[in-house]
Amino acid sequence: MPVAIITGASKGLGRALAEALAGRGWDLVLDARGAQALADTAEVVSAHGTRVSALLGDVTDAAHRAELVSAARRLGGVDLLVHNASALGAEPLVRLEELSLEGLRRALDVNLVAGLGLVQEALPLLRASREGTVVAVSSDAAAEAYETWGGYGASKAALDHLVAVLAVEEPGLRVWAVDPGDMATDLYAAAVPDDREPRPEPASVVPGFLRLLDGRPASGRYGAPALLGEAR
């Protein structure tokens, strides 16, 4: 069975992706910082008969990243790495004049540095896979200038560029930055707690990610809503 590592997998998009891949027979290595939510997700995806390694930890910890890759190696390798774990830098979001530098460093550490660290750790196994794939979960804030989203958006823009370079350096892999679009997630609620407008559930954009895996288009940046539109 193919093996995927998904960071930030206990809730939201990470959990929705885990459930979808488990339904397709993937074995999974899941990561999160919340013990109970991670255990709940592992129980749900295990019901599909998939093998699951659920590891509690922070992706900014190099030892934890090594544990994730070691767990995948025990399952047979790494065919797909999804860097979904994200940090806002401030909760709720604030204008740049108020953004603490420590918050910005946290956003960069989680969204960017940890992503590269995990890729570096997993790269030998990704290269060994017949369909080695890296998915970096991006944001429209990486490409658009929204008030208060500056720190988070900057970290995601840097992530977009990093994976674009990775795609050039690793032509044998598929490397995609994917903007999932608006979603009803805990992250968004923490970012803008006063925004009560209804938003799509994370599971609604998962078919866009699966479309990428099925079609294996060229490495690049994609938007899940656009992929869903193409599928209709």
Side-chain angles (χ1 to χ4, degrees), residues 1 20 24 33 41 46 61-62 69 71 115 131 136 141 150 196-197 202 210:
M1 294 298 178
R24 288 182 161 209
R33 292 185 299 148
T41 297
S46 295
D61 180 351
V69 175
E131 297 188 340
R196 307 295 184 189
E197 290 294 319
L210 297 180

Side-chain angles (χ1 to χ4, degrees), residues 11 86-94 148-149 183-196:
K11 296 183 289 185
S86 297
L88 291 165
E91 299 181 9
L93 292 174
V94 295
T148 73
W149 289 83
M183 297 182 295
T185 63
D186 287 356
L187 186 85
Y188 187 84
V192 195
D194 293 334
D195 186 347
R196 307 295 184 189

Side-chain angles (χ1 to χ4, degrees), residues 9-33:
S10 65
K11 296 183 289 185
L13 178 61
R15 173 169 171 154
L17 283 170
E19 290 188 49
L21 292 176
R24 288 182 161 209
W26 285 67
D27 291 327
L28 300 170
V29 177
L30 308 180
D31 145 280
R33 292 185 299 148

